C-alpha cells in the first residue's frame, strides 16, 4: 500500500544543480526555471504529452462520460510517517476521480514553491509523486511551477487536477441510497489524520502511526467488476467517515445506522484519539473509501474489496434505513443508540 | 486496546447495569461533576441503559463553560496586541467573548497558538525573548499543577516575557453551592476522577458529612462510570453518606502530593466568578503576590474589562443540575454548536454540546 521511493538505492538521485534551495529566479522563466523543469521535474513525470512542453496537453480519451476533479494540498508537515505531500497530492485526486467509478487517466500538477525550499526536499516530493502516479497508472500530462517569496506560502503547495472516463453502465450517486443497503468501509479509519496530528502535537508514543495515503482506483475497479450493485462511493478525507455518511444520508434522505463494534481503528490511533479527545469517526483518511451497496450484494462487495491489499481490512459497518432520514446514528458497543452528527469545525484537543 | 478495552467491555458493563437495576428501589438524582463524564455518558449512551429511576444531571465541571466572560474578553484584548504570542489549550480557541473569539483574532493577524501543555508556552518564551508569551491558564484542579509548574519554572529561569491569565476554579466550593441552593435536587455525586487524582478525596469528607450525601470519585470509561453509579446507588438506598472511591486505579486518598505542593506554592485561593452561575466564594485560584510579575492581566492592564453576561441562556441552571439541555427553549433551534448562545453549547465538554451531538430529541 504505502510504497515509498527507495532513496537508499538512489533510484531517484538528485541531479546536480547550481543551488541547494529554491530561488525566486527558479520561477522567473529564465535559465534557472528551465533548468529546474528539465533536470528536476521532467525526468520524474515523463509522458508523451508533457515531453512536448506545449502550453497544454492534448488528449485522446476513450468513449464515455468524463470525470474531472481538482484538489489543492497544503499539508503541514510536508513529510509525515507513511507519506508526504507529493503522494498525497497524486492519490487524493486519483481517488476523487475514481469515486465516480471512473478509471483515472491523466493528472495536471501545479506547484507553488516558497523561496528557500531545499531542492532536495522538492526532489524527494517529485520522486514520491512519480512513484504514486506509476502505482495508480495515471500520466502527468501538464503542469506549472511558481515560486513565491519567503513567507508567501508554507514551503510547498501542490494543486492536482485529474480526469478519467466512466465505463458504460456505471452510475454512482450519493443520492441513490435505499433502505436496506449495506455500508462498507475499506479498512481502519483515522490513520492519516492522526499521523499528521500526532506529529504536530509531538506525541512520542504515536511514532508508529502511518498515514494510509494510497490510490484507490484499483479497489474501485475490483468492486465494480465484482458485479455488486454499488450505489455510491466516497473517500472520507477531511471530516472523516462521519461527514461522508452525513452527506450520503442528506443527499438520499435516508437514515444510516452504524455498528460501533464494526468500525476498525488501529490501537495506536485510538490511543492518540483518546488522549487528544478526538473521535476517530471525524478524522481524515487518505486511502480509504466508503461504499454503499445493495443489501443482497454486501458479501460479494466485501469479498471483492478484501481481495485487494488496500481493502484487506474492509468491513461492513452499518446499513441504510428508512427511519430518521438525513440522520446518521450509531449503535454503541453497549447497545445504546446515539447520533453521529456533522462536525462543526476543526476538532480541537481538549483541556483535560 | 490494553487499559481501555477492559473499561469499555460490554459484558462487564451489562453486569453492572443489571446490578444497578437490582439495587435501585426508588428514584434518585445523581450529578456527574465532570464534563468528560457527561460526554462519555452521552457518547456510549449510558443514560439510555440505566433504570428510569435514576436521573443523571450534569455538573459544572466543564472548564471552558465556566470560564467567565471577562477572562475571555481580557484574553482577546491581550491576544490582539502586536508583539504577543498568545497560547491556549485547543478548546478555548472557539469560545466566544462579547464580540470575538481567539480564532478571529488570529485571522486578523494575532499570533495565537494552540499548545498541548503550558510548558510548550514556556519554550516559546525562551525561543522568542523579544516577544511577550501569554498562556491562558484555565481549568480545574486537574490543569492547575502544570500551569503552576510553568510559572515556577519561568521564575526560576528569570524569564520576564512569560505570563499567564489565571482563571482556575475549584470543584468542592461549586458542590457546596449546588448543595446549599434551596432548589437543589442532587442526592449524590460522581466526583471528578482526575480532579481527585490530583487533590485526593479528604476535602470531600466535610461536604459529604454536612449535606449527608454520597460522594463517589469516578472515572471516565463506561465501566468506571457504571461502577461509580452503582456505588452511589448502594449508598443512597442504604441511607449512607460519605466518600467512597470508585476510581481506585487513579485516585489515592492523599492525591498527588507533589502536584498539590506546586499548586500551593504558586497559587492561592480566591473568590471566583463562574460563567452562567456567578461568584462563588473561595472557588478559584490566583497567582500568589510573589508571582505577580507573571500575571498577564496586571502586565497588560486589562483588569478594567468587566463585560455583562447576556441573559439569553439557561447555562447557569444547567451547570447547577437544575435543568437539562432539552428543557431550554433555544436548544437546537436558536442555539447550536455553530451559533452558540451560551458556554455549555460551545465547549466539546459542555452538557448542551453533548446533548446536541449525541442525543437530539426527535431525531432518532
Amino acid at each position: 500500500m504505502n510504497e515509498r521511493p527507495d532513496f537508499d538505492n538512489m533510484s531517484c538521485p538528485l541531479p546536480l544543480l547550481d543551488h541547494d534551495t529554491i530561488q525566486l529566479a527558479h520561477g522567473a522563466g529564465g535559465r534557472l526555471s528551465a533548468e529546474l523543469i528539465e533536470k528536476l521535474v521532467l525526468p520524474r513525470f515523463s509522458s508523451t504529452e508533457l515531453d512536448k512542453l506545449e502550453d497544454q496537453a492534448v488528449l485522446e480519451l476513450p468513449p464515455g462520460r468524463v470525470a474531472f476533479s481538482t484538489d489543492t494540498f497544503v499539508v503541514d508537515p510536508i513529510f509525515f510517517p507513511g507519506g508526504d505531500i507529493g503522494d498525497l497530492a497524486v492519490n487524493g485526486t486519483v481517488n476523487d476521480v475514481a469515486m465516480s467509478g471512473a478509471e483515472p487517466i491523466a493528472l495536471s500538477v501545479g506547484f507553488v514553491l516558497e523561496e528557500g525550499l531545499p531542492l532536495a526536499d522538492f526532489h524527494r516530493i517529485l520522486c514520491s509523486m512519480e512513484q504514486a502516479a506509476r502505482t495508480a497508472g495515471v500520466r502527468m500530462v501538464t503542469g506549472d511551477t511558481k515560486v513565491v517569496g519567503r513567507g508567501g506560502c508554507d514551503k510547498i503547495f501542490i494543486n492536482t487536477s485529474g480526469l478519467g472516463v466512466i465505463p458504460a453502465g456505471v452510475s454512482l450517486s450519493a443520492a441513490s441510497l435505499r433502505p436496506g443497503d449495506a455500508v462498507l468501509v475499506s479498512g481502519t479509519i483515522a490513520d492519516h489524520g492522526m499521523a499528521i496530528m500526532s506529529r504536530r502535537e509531538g506525541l512520542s508514543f504515536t511514532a508508529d502511526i502511518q498515514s494510509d495515503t494510497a490510490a484507490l482506483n484499483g479497489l474501485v475497479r475490483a468492486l465494480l467488476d465484482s458485479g455488486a450493485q454499488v450505489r455510491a462511493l466516497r473517500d472520507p478525507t477531511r471530516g472523516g467517515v462521519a461527514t461522508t455518511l452525513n452527506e450520503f444520508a442528506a443527499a438520499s434522505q435516508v437514515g444510516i445506522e452504524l455498528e460501533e463494534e464494526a468500525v476498525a481503528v488501529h490501537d495506536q490511533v485510538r490511543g492518540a484519539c483518546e488522549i487528544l479527545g478526538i473521535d476517530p469517526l471525524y478524522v481524515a483518511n487518505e486511502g480509504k473509501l466508503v461504499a454503499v451497496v445493495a443489501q443482497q450484494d454486501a458479501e460479494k462487495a466485501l469479498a471483492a474489496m478484501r481481495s485487494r491489499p488496500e481493502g484487506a481490512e474492509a468491513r461492513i459497518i452499518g446499513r441504510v434505513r428508512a427511519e430518521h432520514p438525513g440522520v446518521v446514528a450509531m449503535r454503541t458497543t453497549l447497545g445504546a443508540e446515539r447520533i453521529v452528527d456533522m462536525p462543526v469545525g476543526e476538532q480541537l484537543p481538549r483541556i483535560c | 486496546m490494553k487499559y481501555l478495552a477492559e473499561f469499555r467491555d460490554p459484558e462487564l458493563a451489562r453486569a453492572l447495569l443489571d446490578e444497578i437495576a437490582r439495587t435501585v428501589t426508588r428514584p434518585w438524582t445523581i450529578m456527574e461533576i465532570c464534563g468528560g463524564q457527561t460526554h462519555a455518558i452521552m457518547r456510549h449512551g449510558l443514560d439510555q441503559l440505566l433504570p428510569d429511576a435514576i436521573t443523571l444531571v450534569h455538573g459544572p465541571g466543564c472548564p471552558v463553560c465556566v470560564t467567565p466572560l471577562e477572562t475571555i474578553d481580557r484574553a482577546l484584548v491581550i491576544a490582539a496586541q502586536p508583539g504577543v504570542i498568545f497560547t491556549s489549550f485547543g478548546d478555548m480557541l472557539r469560545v466566544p467573548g462579547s464580540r470575538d473569539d481567539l480564532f478571529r483574532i488570529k485571522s486578523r493577524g494575532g499570533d495565537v497558538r494552540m499548545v498541548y501543555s503550558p510548558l510548550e508556552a514556556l519554550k516559546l518564551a525562551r525561543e522568542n525573548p523579544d516577544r511577550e508569551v501569554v498562556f491562558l491558564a484555565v481549568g480545574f484542579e486537574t490543569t492547575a499543577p502544570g500551569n503552576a509548574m510553568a510559572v515556577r519554572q519561568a521564575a526560576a529561569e528569570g524569564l520576564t516575557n512569560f505570563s499567564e491569565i489565571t482563571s482556575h476554579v475549584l470543584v468542592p466550593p461549586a458542590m457546596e453551592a449546588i448543595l446549599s441552593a434551596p432548589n437543589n435536587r442532587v442526592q449524590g455525586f460522581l466526583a471528578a476522577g482526575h480532579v481527585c487524582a490530583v487533590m485526593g478525596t479528604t476535602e470531600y469528607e466535610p461536604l459529604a458529612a454536612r449535606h449527608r450525601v454520597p460522594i463517589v470519585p469516578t472515572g471516565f470509561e463506561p465501566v468506571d462510570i457504571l461502577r461509580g453509579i452503582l456505588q452511589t446507588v448502594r449508598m443512597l438506598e442504604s441511607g449512607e453518606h460519605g466518600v467512597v472511591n470508585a476510581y481506585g486505579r487513579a485516585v489515592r486518598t492523599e492525591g498527588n502530593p507533589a502536584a498539590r505542593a506546586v499548586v500551593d506554592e504558586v497559587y492561592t485561593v480566591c473568590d471566583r466568578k463562574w460563567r452562567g452561575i456567578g461568584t462563588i466564594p473561595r472557588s478559584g485560584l490566583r497567582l500568589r503576590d510573589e508571582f505577580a510579575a507573571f500575571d498577564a492581566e496586571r502586565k497588560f492592564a486589562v483588569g478594567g474589562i468587566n463585560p455583562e453576561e447576556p441573559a439569553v441562556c439557561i447555562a447557569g441552571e444547567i451547570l447547577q443540575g437544575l435543568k437539562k439541555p432539552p428543557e431550554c427553549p433555544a436548544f437546537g433551534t436558536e442555539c447550536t454548536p455553530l451559533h452558540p448562545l451560551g458556554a455549555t453549547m460551545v465547549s466539546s465538554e459542555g452538557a448542551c454540546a453533548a446533548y446536541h451531538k449525541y442525543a437530539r430529541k426527535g431525531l432518532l
Side-chain angles (χ1 to χ4, degrees), chain B residues 29-31 57 178-179 183-189 213 320-321:
Chain B
T29 298
I30 301 169
M31 171 179 279
V57 292
I178 288 164
L179 287 166
N183 49 356
N184 167 56
R185 56 180 183 144
V186 179
Q187 295 163 297
F189 288 94
V213 288
Q320 294 168 83

Side-chain angles (χ1 to χ4, degrees), chain A residues 201 203 260-261 267-268 270-271 274-280 282 321 324-325 327-342 344-352, chain B residues 1 4 8-10 13-14 42-46 48-49 63-64 89-94 103 114 116 120 138-139 142-143 221-222 226 337-338 348-349 356-360 363-364:
Chain A
E201 304 290 339
L203 300 181
E260 187 171 26
E261 267 171 351
D267 278 353
Q268 293 242 352
R270 190 179 293 285
E274 290 294 332
I275 282 185
L276 294 171
I278 281 171
D279 186 338
Y282 294 94
R321 41 195 249 180
H324 56 77
V327 174
V328 180
M330 181 147 93
R331 173 81 36 198
T332 72
T333 47
L334 305 183
E337 195 178 40
R338 70 157 165 101
I339 295 173
V340 177
D341 206 359
M342 275 294 242
V344 175
E346 194 183 355
Q347 291 205 96
L348 301 169
R350 65 176 169 222
I351 289 182
C352 61
Chain B
M1 86 179 271
L4 189 58
R8 292 186 182 174
D9 182 68
R14 269 189 284 275
M42 303 307 291
R43 178 176 165 191
H44 298 284
L46 297 181
Q48 302 166 34
L49 303 171
V64 174
F89 292 131
D91 48 3
M92 287 304 291
L93 296 177
R94 208 159 26 215
F103 273 130
M114 182 174 77
Y116 196 64
E120 284 174 49
V138 300
T142 338
T143 47
E221 294 301 326
L226 291 171
L338 209 53
S348 61
E349 292 191 10
H356 197 273
K357 185 165 182 200
Y358 299 127
R360 259 166 294 159
L363 284 186
L364 291 182

Side-chain angles (χ1 to χ4, degrees), chain B:
Chain B
M1 86 179 271
K2 288 195 183 66
Y3 224 62
L4 189 58
E6 303 91 307
F7 300 99
R8 292 186 182 174
D9 182 68
E11 276 180 43
L12 210 49
R14 269 189 284 275
L16 284 161
L17 281 162
D18 290 345
E19 185 62 25
I20 291 168
R22 275 195 296 273
T23 309
V24 72
T25 63
R26 57 206 146 123
W28 298 110
T29 298
I30 301 169
M31 171 179 279
E32 82 279 358
I33 290 291
C34 179
Q37 292 166 331
T38 304
H39 258 260
I41 288 163
M42 303 307 291
R43 178 176 165 191
H44 298 284
L46 297 181
D47 56 324
Q48 302 166 34
L49 303 171
L50 286 166
D52 290 341
I54 295 175
T55 303
L56 292 177
V57 292
H58 317 305
C62 160
V64 174
C65 302
V66 301
T67 300
L69 189 57
E70 65 216 37
T71 301
I72 310 286
D73 278 0
R74 290 171 189 178
L76 293 169
V77 167
I78 295 172
Q81 297 194 15
V84 167
I85 299 175
F86 194 90
T87 58
S88 165
F89 292 131
D91 48 3
M92 287 304 291
L93 296 177
R94 208 159 26 215
V95 180
S98 297
R99 278 188 303 275
D100 270 323
D101 60 39
L102 285 166
F103 273 130
R104 288 188 212 168
I105 298 287
K106 186 169 192 279
S107 72
R108 289 202 293 267
D111 191 347
V112 177
R113 305 188 194 184
M114 182 174 77
V115 292
Y116 196 64
S117 150
L119 299 175
E120 284 174 49
L122 207 57
K123 186 160 168 274
L124 283 171
R126 280 186 213 110
E127 292 165 355
N128 298 276
D130 54 332
R131 308 275 301 273
E132 281 290 335
V133 176
V134 181
F135 178 72
L136 182 49
V138 300
F140 284 85
E141 294 94 325
T142 338
T143 47
N147 298 347
M149 182 65 95
V151 170
R152 193 175 74 171
Q153 189 67 30
E157 292 178 29
L159 278 175
T160 55
N161 65 328
F162 175 81
S163 57
E164 282 187 356
I165 300 174
T166 306
S167 187
H168 277 293
V169 278
L170 303 171
V171 167
M175 288 171 67
E176 174 69 44
I178 288 164
L179 287 166
S180 306
N183 49 356
N184 167 56
R185 56 180 183 144
V186 179
Q187 295 163 297
F189 288 94
L190 308 182
H194 292 154
V195 169
C196 296
V198 173
M199 299 302 288
T201 59
T202 46
E203 61 183 338
Y204 295 92
E205 301 278 2
L207 259 179
R210 194 159 52 245
H211 295 280
R212 307 187 61 79
V213 288
I215 298 177
V216 178
T218 299
F220 299 83
E221 294 301 326
V223 167
D224 291 321
I225 292 170
L226 291 171
R227 275 184 186 145
I229 293 171
L230 176 60
Q231 179 61 45
T232 310
V233 170
R234 277 182 178 151
M235 293 171 77
L236 287 168
E237 288 285 342
S238 60
E240 292 171 55
H241 62 268
V243 180
V244 177
N245 182 9
Y247 195 31
R249 73 181 196 275
V251 175
R252 286 172 296 172
T253 310
E254 71 280 15
N256 179 338
R260 291 174 63 180
V262 70
V263 169
D264 196 44
E265 180 188 336
V266 175
Y267 296 132
T268 185
V269 173
C270 63
D271 296 350
R272 174 77 68 209
K273 205 185 220 179
W274 295 52
R275 192 169 191 174
I277 298 178
T279 300
I280 302 177
R282 299 183 57 75
S283 69
L285 295 173
R286 66 168 176 83
L287 284 166
R288 285 186 182 276
D289 291 339
E290 51 267 49
F291 292 101
F294 301 96
D295 182 347
E297 291 175 73
R298 195 177 295 203
K299 196 178 221 177
F300 292 89
V302 291
I305 299 171
N306 285 300
E308 283 294 310
E309 184 87 42
V312 285
C313 89
I314 63 164
E317 289 166 276
I318 286 167
L319 290 167
Q320 294 168 83
L322 301 174
K323 285 194 173 154
K324 286 196 164 202
E327 293 172 48
C328 174
F331 176 77
T333 53
E334 284 171 77
C335 182
T336 64
L338 209 53
H339 297 287
L341 294 184
T344 41
M345 187 60 96
V346 176
S347 164
S348 61
E349 292 191 10
C352 295
Y355 270 73
H356 197 273
K357 185 165 182 200
Y358 299 127
R360 259 166 294 159
K361 270 219 170 85
L363 284 186
L364 291 182

Side-chain angles (χ1 to χ4, degrees), chain A residues 237-296:
Chain A
T237 54
R238 265 180 312 180
V241 168
T243 300
T244 293
L245 293 177
N246 271 283
E247 289 164 356
F248 281 175
S252 295
Q253 275 308 299
V254 292
I256 293 177
E257 182 168 82
L258 298 182
E259 293 294 331
E260 187 171 26
E261 267 171 351
V263 179
V265 185
H266 281 137
D267 278 353
Q268 293 242 352
V269 172
R270 190 179 293 285
C273 284
E274 290 294 332
I275 282 185
L276 294 171
I278 281 171
D279 186 338
L281 282 171
Y282 294 94
V283 178
N285 309 276
E286 290 290 347
K288 298 290 153 36
L289 62 79
V290 174
V292 179
V293 305
Q295 190 172 17
Q296 70 275 11

Side-chain angles (χ1 to χ4, degrees), chain A residues 8 24 42-43 64 69 94 109 133 138 147-148 152 155 162 164 170 177 207 210 252 260 263 276 285 307 325 327 348:
Chain A
D8 295 338
L24 278 173
L42 284 184
S69 183
V94 163
V109 56
V138 293
V147 177
V148 296
K155 297 183 274 292
V170 173
L177 276 60
Q210 303 270 317
S252 295
E260 187 171 26
V263 179
L276 294 171
N285 309 276
S307 72
V327 174
L348 301 169

